Amino acid sequence: MGRKEIPMRKTMFDTLIRNLKNLPPCDFPDTEKLQELSSDMTFEQLQTFAVLLVSKGKASYYYGKISLKNGRLLT
């Protein structure tokens, strides 16, 4: 059997966003960890996450997509 993707639970996501909002930019996780976190998010969660990353300067908009500082696109 193949592995079924399980979306991140709402409470877990809300806690993650709250914690990231309170972190200073120098204490943010590295881009690989941010990419890993985003892999379990629903589309709506990913949009909220992307806006937060852009506001903290950890990502930028690139032709309608979100580009992390290491050049990878947020998926």
Side-chain angles (χ1 to χ4, degrees), residues 18-31 34 52-59 69:
R18 185 175 48 255
N19 289 341
L20 290 176
K21 280 182 181 179
N22 293 325
L23 280 179
C26 61
D27 289 338
F28 244 67
D30 62 12
T31 53
L34 295 173
L52 175 65
L53 294 179
V54 170
S55 73
K56 290 285 192 171
K58 297 298 176 183
K69 291 299 178 185

Side-chain angles (χ1 to χ4, degrees), residues 28-61:
F28 244 67
D30 62 12
T31 53
E32 286 78 22
K33 185 65 177 176
L34 295 173
Q35 184 77 29
E36 181 183 323
L37 288 169
S38 72
S39 67
D40 294 331
M41 294 181 186
T42 65
F43 181 72
E44 292 79 16
Q45 290 172 336
L46 194 56
Q47 287 179 315
T48 302
F49 187 59
V51 169
L52 175 65
L53 294 179
V54 170
S55 73
K56 290 285 192 171
K58 297 298 176 183
S60 58
Y61 290 105

Side-chain angles (χ1 to χ4, degrees), residues 57-69:
K58 297 298 176 183
S60 58
Y61 290 105
Y62 179 74
Y63 293 104
K65 297 185 183 214
I66 302 298
S67 175
L68 294 172
K69 291 299 178 185

